[in-house]
Amino acid sequence: MRRPQLDIQLKTPEQIEKMRAAGLVVAEALRRMREAVAPGVTTADLDAIAESTIREAGAVPSFKGYHGFPASICSSVNEQIVHAIPSPEQALAEGDLISIDCGAVLDGWHGDAAITVGVGEVDPALLRMATVAEDAMWAGIAAAARGAASGKGRLTDISHAVENAVRKGGRYGIVDGYGGHGIGTEMHQDPHVLNHGRPGKGPRLVPGMALAIEPMITMGSPRTVELADGWTVVTRDGSWAAHVEHTMALLPDGVWVLTAPDGGRGRLGDLVTARQPSNAPSA
């Protein structure tokens, strides 16, 4: 079933269960990579961990081969915001900040999530930026859940909630032109989900919608440059960036954060669907 105009794919509860399985594969890959992040580890090392984890689960890395992308993760370090290509030549150093974006497809359904991780001892101001980005992501997910429950929510309520959380967190640049997206039988679907904007606009938030919510913020200007490799996006002013993401789905009785081990229960409480057991492992 698809909504008109934007071609938004609405999923059945059973299809969302399948997306949850893909989401848990992504969650495990990110968990293993988070544990592996350390000075001297290369971004290619992290990519190998992701690919082996995904394939061991019977899934396929959704990034690899996507429009020619050569790896299973995007590994964006410091001033790199998103879409950076892993390399055996890029070794992490003490004090770095790395954003790891990972996707998997299982039984035809996609999961997509990203984390930002400090390498060793990191400037507290940078870690604070990463926390603000994560808090903004959760604010957006909560806005989606409340909007769907009320029957009055619109897509840009998510964007507005993300922006408000970032603005309350400090003076950060909110990257424009890149954001969240619909997800399901393809990794990127309608609608595009901006990380800023006025509320109350766009399609209604209804059960069956599955969205990837992914704030990207910087310590300076939000302006970006794409490098010559055709993928890596960096800040124009060289300031460092943070990028986080979860895949979520709306059900008749609440939201399900499909790429969070606990389904979002720890951050969202009773906004989470009863399909997610209350005793599930925490994120």
Side-chain angles (χ1 to χ4, degrees):
M1 180 178 178
R2 293 178 183 267
R3 293 176 66 82
Q5 298 176 341
L6 281 180
D7 195 27
I8 297 173
Q9 182 188 72
L10 298 182
K11 289 81 175 171
T12 67
E14 292 71 27
Q15 290 169 335
I16 291 171
E17 293 271 4
K18 291 184 176 182
M19 290 187 67
R20 170 59 165 170
L24 288 175
V25 174
V26 173
E28 176 61 13
L30 287 171
R31 185 192 69 79
R32 293 184 186 181
M33 285 185 284
R34 183 191 291 274
E35 290 184 351
V37 166
V41 172
T42 70
T43 52
D45 294 335
L46 298 176
D47 184 66
I49 291 170
E51 180 162 8
S52 64
T53 302
I54 291 167
R55 295 195 186 279
E56 284 168 11
V60 175
S62 49
F63 293 6
K64 196 163 192 177
Y66 182 76
H67 295 294
F69 191 77
S72 298
I73 64 169
C74 300
S75 52
S76 306
V77 181
N78 300 340
E79 77 281 0
Q80 297 171 342
I81 303 168
V82 69
H83 300 162
I85 300 170
S87 168
E89 306 303 319
Q90 186 175 39
L92 299 177
E94 187 86 12
D96 281 348
L97 197 66
I98 179 171
S99 298
I100 306 169
D101 194 354
C102 181
V105 56
L106 181 65
D107 195 23
W109 295 91
H110 288 259
D112 188 7
I115 56 175
T116 293
V117 184
V119 183
E121 293 294 324
V122 178
D123 183 341
L126 296 171
L127 296 179
R128 169 66 182 161
M129 174 180 60
T131 297
V132 168
E134 186 168 359
D135 289 346
M137 174 186 65
W138 285 108
I141 295 170
R146 294 190 181 100
S150 72
K152 299 178 181 179
R154 297 278 186 172
L155 182 70
T156 63
D157 296 349
I158 300 172
S159 309
H160 186 67
V162 170
E163 180 178 10
N164 270 356
V166 173
R167 299 301 182 210
K168 289 178 181 177
R171 295 176 62 86
Y172 301 102
I174 299 177
V175 176
D176 197 10
Y178 300 90
H181 51 89
I183 184 170
T185 51
E186 298 90 27
M187 182 165 56
H188 293 107
Q189 297 180 327
D190 284 340
H192 182 61
V193 187
L194 291 171
N195 289 315
H196 58 85
R198 299 177 64 182
K201 299 184 180 300
R204 289 197 180 277
L205 298 170
V206 296
M209 290 182 76
L211 304 169
I213 310 301
E214 53 178 321
M216 302 172 202
I217 65 176
T218 75
M219 292 292 287
S221 169
R223 299 183 69 187
T224 64
V225 176
E226 186 178 273
L227 298 186
D229 63 15
W231 288 101
T232 307
V233 178
V234 302
T235 58
R236 183 180 291 273
D237 63 1
S239 61
W240 288 18
H243 167 214
V244 294
E245 177 184 19
H246 266 312
T247 296
M248 51 142 277
L250 297 172
L251 286 139
D253 68 338
V255 67
W256 201 354
V257 185
L258 303 175
T259 47
D262 72 346
R265 185 80 65 185
R267 294 293 299 250
L268 303 175
D270 290 342
L271 291 174
V272 173
T273 174
R275 284 183 174 242
Q276 171 60 45
S278 58
N279 61 350
S282 62

